[in-house]
Amino acid sequence: KWSRNPVGTDILDALRAKTAAVLADLPGPATEVHYGLFARCGFTPALIQRAAIEDVLLFDLGAF
């Protein structure tokens, strides 16, 4: 998300909810799914904590 607010867990939940639809459109079976989020103004503490537990990659402007 490229907003002026930190990205929260709702964005990760929305991304996970779309996974089944994306996988259904792939030509072959997917064996692994990896999640990564990009943000202009960082992430909420709750998302940072969840990302560490769930192995989600987080990228913000400070990473570049």
Side-chain angles (χ1 to χ4, degrees):
K1 294 292 181 177
W2 212 246
S3 72
R4 295 183 184 262
N5 300 315
V7 173
T9 57
D10 58 322
I11 302 302
L12 178 58
D13 292 336
L15 181 62
R16 287 190 183 276
K18 296 173 186 176
T19 301
V22 172
L23 292 177
D25 286 340
L26 294 177
T31 57
E32 290 185 53
V33 175
H34 300 273
Y35 294 96
L37 296 173
F38 292 79
R40 176 182 181 183
C41 291
F43 305 94
T44 64
L47 179 57
I48 293 169
Q49 183 179 24
R50 242 181 92 186
I53 294 167
E54 299 176 21
D55 201 26
V56 175
L57 300 174
L58 301 178
F59 302 93
D60 63 16
L61 284 179
F64 296 98

